[in-house]
Amino acid sequence: MSGWLLGKQRQMYLLAPLALVRAYALVSGLAPPVLRAAVMGTVYLAALALGRPSSVLPALALALPYQDRFREALAGEPGATASRWVAASRRFSSGIAVAVVVSAAATLATLPLVAFNFRQVPLSAVFVTVLSLPLQMVMLVGSAATALAGLLHPALGQAVGWLAWLPWAGQNALVALAPAPVISFRWAGAWAEGLVAAWYLVLAAAMLWPQGLGFLKSASGGVKALLARPSLASGGLPVSRGARWGFLALAVPLALIGGMLWARLLSGPDGRLHVYFLDVGQGDSILVVTPQGWQVVDGGPGTESAMRALAGPMSPWDRSLDLVVLTHLDADHARGLLAVLDRLRVGAVLAGVEDETSALLPQWRAAMSRSQAQLVLVAEGHRIVLEEWVYLEVLNPPAQPWRGTGSDRNNNGVVLRLEYWETSFLLTADIEAAAEGWLARSDPQGLASQVLKVAHHGSQTSTTDAFLRAVSPALAVISAGEANQYGHPHATVVSRLEAEGGPQQVVRTDQQAPWR
């Protein structure tokens, strides 16, 4: 339709499909397959705009514009003496060859995105894609039929839904049976983004060479010529000037919206796990940014402490949190979460033992009621799957809460072990010697973690020798306020931590910038 309205003499007709491709990718949640398709579509449209649809390196050249010619070349001329079966077999083999080329081209174009997001590239991707193409066609038709049938009656939609489910199940079985070897990209670190950018710069250079940037000159007069001549579009029908203005009024905002959405995307999560230990004074505030979302642990002592701390790592237009963790109802951990519940959209709140003696309990219940966040009560043994390969293991409080320890509120605090592949963080809230000793005796192997958030701001009542030996951290983080009245962290605890890992392996929020 874009080509019909605007003609194909200028590249303006490509503006609308480019905006729609990007907007659709963002609206659909940017799942890896959608992102792959969006990149492929963008590269193809760019190649058309540059007059280089047959360029090999953009990878879409063989996949889209010339696949019919390629199929004809492979099929050849069977000749008058060739049987019908010979001709059919040649056509079939040429179709398979074209499918292999299309899949290989798509894999080449999206290789850095797959490697960057998954840290591995399956060797059987082309093979599985070719075999699943017929199933994909049936799934598309079945899904459309299911949607239409569901509009008539839910029972009819459910019955027709088998048309989409059967090929879907077959594709899953095909993927499960496919060979498993992969090329690992786990070695790619923080500079992986540079590899992705370099890959697509090479593709862009291939499209521009040897034409160079001369296409800009021909495109510069596109809008003026488009609006000045209501004549026949190239290969199209007569279109009035008003219709052209109307189309531009739709396409330009779409392009701007698509650009803004992509700018927002680029400033969002980068596909890796980040853990921020934030400086909120004499309290705890930890923000966990998973590869695909936001989580927060603890809120700090002041009503504005958590919001001020989150203003740094969180995007200014991000007003939601997937999960808030209330370790216990001490003011230095919970008061800051009151503002979080009131100002941000919170999906769920994870909490342990409800402390009826806390002065903050009425305010906390009121804030929970206003936010309408889901409350999830946990104890040892709970496992929360944040997303693939990112887990929260609840180690404390025990199934039977602590009673009579002298500091039950602290010892019943929620202790979490955050796991991401081989990396782990132990977040210990304010537990003291009683809870630490129980954890060290009950599951010493399960405590081992690369990073330890030191319990109770480095108080002398925590970080016992047995507990520290069980955790054996490579890095210890102490959250404490500068020159606080409690003398945290205690010199004995600091010495113990430095003896375990060395002075350079102990960081403090009262002395250093927020650690991530």
Side-chain angles (χ1 to χ4, degrees), residues 306-319:
M307 293 302 301
R308 284 196 302 267
L310 291 174
M314 284 186 66
S315 172
W317 43 66
D318 188 353
R319 309 303 298 170

Side-chain angles (χ1 to χ4, degrees), residues 384-408:
I384 297 97
V385 179
L386 300 179
E387 59 189 61
E388 189 175 17
W389 307 115
V390 184
Y391 313 99
L392 281 176
E393 296 280 357
V394 181
L395 306 183
N396 194 69
Q400 295 297 323
W402 291 97
R403 295 289 185 265
T405 63
S407 186
D408 293 341

